[in-house]
Amino acid sequence: MATRSTIMDTNSFRPEMAAALDPETRRLTEERDVLGPAYRLFYRTPVHLVKGEGAHVWDADGTEYLDVYNNVASVGHAHPRVVEAIARQASLLNTHTRYLHENILNYADDILSTMPDELNRIMFQCTGSEANDLAVRVAQAYTGGEGVIVTAEAYHGNSALTSKLSPALGTAQDLGLTMRMIPTPDTYRLSIDGKPASVCTAEEFGGWMAAEVRKAVADMNRHGIRFAALLADSIFSSDGVYPDSVGYLQPVIDTVHELGGVWIADEVQPGFTRTGDAFWGFERQGIVPDLVTSGKPMANGLPTSLMAARQEVLEPFAGSIPYFNTFGGNPVCMAAAQATLDVMRSEDTMGNAKRVGAVFKQAVTDLMPAHPCIGDVRGAGLYIGCEIVKPGTKDPDQAAALDILETLRAHHVLTSVCGRFGNILKLRPPLVFSEQDVDWFMSAFTDTLQELGL
């Protein structure tokens, strides 16, 4: 039997749960049959949301919830400056990139100004899947290879190409024959030469990961596959949130280049000030990628994504193959993206992520002595992973993690799980999350753990 997808199925509603629903919720879940069986809803009792503001959302009954999950509304639900920018441009014109328009040019210059000078070309799409799909094609054209390396629980999209590079989708999803996986950089469980990874230096940990890349490329070579790229996000979100130690990715990117490949930095999760230490996740690690992709946080909910590149890496593809995305880079989405970027600067979302994220992480960490089900707390800025284990061990406890999620929902707090065992609470709120929001979460989390006897 196929294993379920860790990112899609772990915290999902299933039809056999319908009997416990109130009539209206059950009716809505049944009407979703028209969408087919591939879609997923969160929670055993799905939430019917109708309004949002900042880090808070409301359901159809007027109940307020704390959003500790959503990096799509990165500067907060319904931010008035973004809403105004969307409405203003929509009232004027919305078309595509085969006509001239200032919005795409102005935003391209502005967003590239946040990146290293080496990244000086940019193209726009609608989703992270499309951005990663294009980046892989660009990498393959530049290197002349096909082989792509990902980590063991990575998710990079749902196109035909990127789904085959996304082991987190579960074993029902075929993986690419030219793809190779390296282990999750699990600082909680790994040992390197008999030494716990959590106490290894950046050089030691980076050396271990670089050696794994060498093994993967050697296996490609044995099968006649030429190496093209390592595709990874620098916080390893789907793998379970592993942001440290800072600097360990430099030996890895050096090895990728030595072996003839390029680094594609998937910044959908760690980018746009999320880590609090830098605008981009790769910047926090002190590396300069060859290609950068991002999507969800860019336009506060409008479908917008990007692929930035070194000019010399892009040229073999873009100089010979036309590329057109009907909706990618349209004037309305570019207006939304520009407004979102302006808000990030004026409201200092990076500083907020650093300050509030530190308070948040410490508050969760402080619960560990009284609640041994919390095995590890790790993260950077407003991206925190809280690993739930069987007390006294490092054995993952998915059942307890899911019970925690459902009880948090009963306390009007929304989040989810990630990681290869589906046991890591993924705490990734909008970037406007406040210390008062931390207090709400901690009160609900403490009550939840006590109610569950954990």
Side-chain angles (χ1 to χ4, degrees), residues 291-314:
L291 295 155
V292 175
T293 60
S294 194
K296 288 173 187 164
M298 284 181 62
N300 217 48
L302 264 65
T304 309
S305 64
L306 66 80
M307 184 206 69
R310 297 174 185 256
Q311 180 179 359
E312 66 273 18
V313 175
L314 179 62

Side-chain angles (χ1 to χ4, degrees), residues 134-152:
L134 178 60
V136 171
R137 293 172 64 196
V138 169
Q140 291 172 336
Y142 175 71
T143 62
E146 288 185 272
V148 178
I149 296 173
V150 299
T151 50

